[in-house]
């Protein structure tokens, strides 16, 4: 008895995946063609040309699908250093206006990217820094400037104080810039004190601690914690539109004075607080005003100068 043996190499090869894929692709084309033809039949005769283009586009898509389904091997040499290479995706586009079709890469459909740029602040304008526009830049320079200013202020204060002590009021008046602005010495007051014979000032009854302000720009010519009958007081010389005026603020609270002899003050600057030091009965401000060395009513003078 003889056995019939068949070697593996002589066996009939089975149909490979290539034929199966071809059959699938052919069947798909047939189905798509049938569907497109049936749909085209329901359209008007004027759309025949467009229908033909649609059939062609569908055929191209199906052919591409069948081609990619077939197994194939390829060796591609690629420079690994080229990091800009990317796979190219394609798609079929149908122009609704004239029915034409085109094969478009996906990267071509993307909108153009906006270009970004960096503008350095120094490039945005051409303004040049002027060294002469400022004098001190470092902490040391700033401290030196402050010390110089304080030294100059102290020297001026000493000069004016010496002139005041020696009775040279003309020199003090010359050092006062002419100004016409006059303000009230108190933010408010309750009522006037009762005048009496020999009383040269105006009494403003107000709570202790109320701030007292200089009525105009000037130079402090007297400042003391123990004046004769005035208690704590400050006296200021002014140049009101070329007229020599002095104002005295008495009965301040102990330790409330903020100025010394020779200090320059401006209208509205706080120089002390209301108290009842010296010969005083109740907290109030005693204000004396002299114009060209003559006493005047302080309240009337304030009103006449718009305060």
């Amino acid at each position: 008895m003889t056995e019939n043996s068949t070697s593996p190499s002589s066996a009939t090869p089975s149909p490979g995946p290539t034929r199966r894929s071809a059959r699938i692709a052919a069947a798909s084309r047939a189905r798509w063609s049938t569907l497109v033809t049936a749909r085209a039949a329901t359209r008007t005769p004027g759309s025949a040309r467009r229908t033909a283009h649609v059939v062609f586009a569908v055929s191209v898509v199906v052919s591409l699908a069948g081609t990619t389904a077939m197994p194939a091997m390829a060796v591609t040499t690629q420079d690994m250093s080229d990091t800009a290479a990317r796979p190219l995706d394609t798609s079929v586009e149908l122009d609704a206006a004239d029915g034409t079709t085109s094969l478009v890469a996906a990267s071509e459909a993307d909108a153009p990217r906006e270009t970004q740029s960096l503008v350095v602040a120094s490039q945005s304008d051409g303004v040049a820094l002027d060294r002469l526009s400022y004098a001190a830049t470092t902490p040391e320079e700033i401290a030196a400037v402050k010390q110089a200013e304080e030294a100059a202020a102290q020297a001026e204060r000493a000069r004016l104080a010496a002139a005041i002590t020696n009775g040279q009021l003309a020199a003090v008046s010359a050092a006062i810039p002419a100004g016409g602005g006059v303000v009230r010495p108190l933010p408010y007051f309750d009522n006037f004190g009762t005048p009496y014979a020999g009383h040269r000032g105006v009494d403003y009854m107000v709570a202790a601690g109320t701030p007292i302000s200089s009525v105009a720009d000037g130079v402090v010519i007297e400042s003391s914690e123990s004046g004769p009958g005035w208690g704590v007081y400050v006296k200021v010389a002014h140049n009101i539109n070329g007229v020599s005026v002095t104002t005295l603020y008495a009965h301040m609270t102990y330790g409330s004075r903020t100025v010394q002899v020779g200090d320059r003050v401006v209208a509205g600057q706080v120089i002390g607080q209301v108290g009842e030091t010296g010969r005083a009965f109740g907290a109030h401000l005693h204000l004396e005003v002299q114009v060209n060395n003559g006493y005047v009513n302080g309240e009337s003078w304030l009103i006449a100068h718009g305060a």
Side-chain angles (χ1 to χ4, degrees), residues 47-117:
S47 62
R49 181 183 176 185
R50 184 177 302 174
T51 302
H53 287 292
V54 171
V55 172
F56 174 75
V58 173
S59 301
V60 171
V61 174
V62 175
S63 298
L64 289 175
T67 302
T68 56
M70 298 176 64
M73 295 182 62
V75 178
T76 303
T77 302
Q78 180 179 3
D79 186 359
M80 299 304 295
S81 64
D82 184 8
T83 58
R86 293 189 177 92
L88 181 63
D89 295 332
T90 59
S91 61
V92 176
E93 291 185 355
L94 176 62
D95 191 342
D98 56 4
T100 60
T101 59
S102 60
L103 187 63
V104 181
S107 60
E108 296 178 358
D110 296 336
R113 299 180 180 178
E114 297 181 357
T115 303
Q116 297 181 349
S117 61

Side-chain angles (χ1 to χ4, degrees), residues 208-245:
T210 302
I212 301 172
S213 302
S214 174
V215 299
D217 297 351
V219 175
V220 178
I221 57 177
E222 294 181 29
S223 180
S224 174
E225 288 282 305
S226 57
W230 295 320
V232 180
Y233 79 100
V234 170
K235 189 174 184 179
V236 182
H238 313 276
N239 182 355
I240 308 297
N241 296 326
V243 178
S244 177
V245 178

Side-chain angles (χ1 to χ4, degrees), residues 51-283:
T51 302
H53 287 292
V54 171
V55 172
F56 174 75
V58 173
S59 301
V60 171
V61 174
V62 175
S63 298
L64 289 175
T67 302
T68 56
M70 298 176 64
M73 295 182 62
V75 178
T76 303
T77 302
Q78 180 179 3
D79 186 359
M80 299 304 295
S81 64
D82 184 8
T83 58
R86 293 189 177 92
L88 181 63
D89 295 332
T90 59
S91 61
V92 176
E93 291 185 355
L94 176 62
D95 191 342
D98 56 4
T100 60
T101 59
S102 60
L103 187 63
V104 181
S107 60
E108 296 178 358
D110 296 336
R113 299 180 180 178
E114 297 181 357
T115 303
Q116 297 181 349
S117 61
L118 175 65
V119 178
V120 182
S122 60
Q123 297 176 352
S124 61
D125 54 55
V127 178
L129 295 178
D130 185 5
R131 174 68 180 179
L132 299 178
S133 63
Y134 56 93
T137 55
T138 66
E140 293 76 11
E141 291 177 339
I142 294 174
V145 170
K146 289 183 177 180
Q147 290 177 358
E149 292 176 349
E150 181 61 25
Q154 290 179 356
E156 176 67 9
R157 188 183 302 114
R159 185 185 70 81
L160 292 175
I164 293 166
T165 302
N166 296 328
Q168 299 173 351
L169 297 181
V172 175
S173 298
I176 303 174
V182 176
V183 299
R184 301 198 70 86
L186 297 171
Y188 67 94
F189 67 96
D190 298 329
N191 56 274
F192 295 106
T194 302
Y196 56 89
H199 189 254
R200 298 177 175 177
V202 177
D203 292 338
Y204 296 90
M205 310 305 294
V206 67
T210 302
I212 301 172
S213 302
S214 174
V215 299
D217 297 351
V219 175
V220 178
I221 57 177
E222 294 181 29
S223 180
S224 174
E225 288 282 305
S226 57
W230 295 320
V232 180
Y233 79 100
V234 170
K235 189 174 184 179
V236 182
H238 313 276
N239 182 355
I240 308 297
N241 296 326
V243 178
S244 177
V245 178
T246 61
T247 54
L248 183 144
Y249 313 82
H251 307 310
M252 293 183 180
T253 299
Y254 286 116
S256 66
R257 289 177 303 126
T258 62
V259 293
Q260 300 296 329
V261 174
D263 286 349
R264 292 179 180 273
V265 296
V266 296
Q269 178 179 334
V270 175
I271 58 177
Q273 296 177 1
V274 172
E276 49 183 322
T277 57
R279 291 196 299 268
F281 300 94

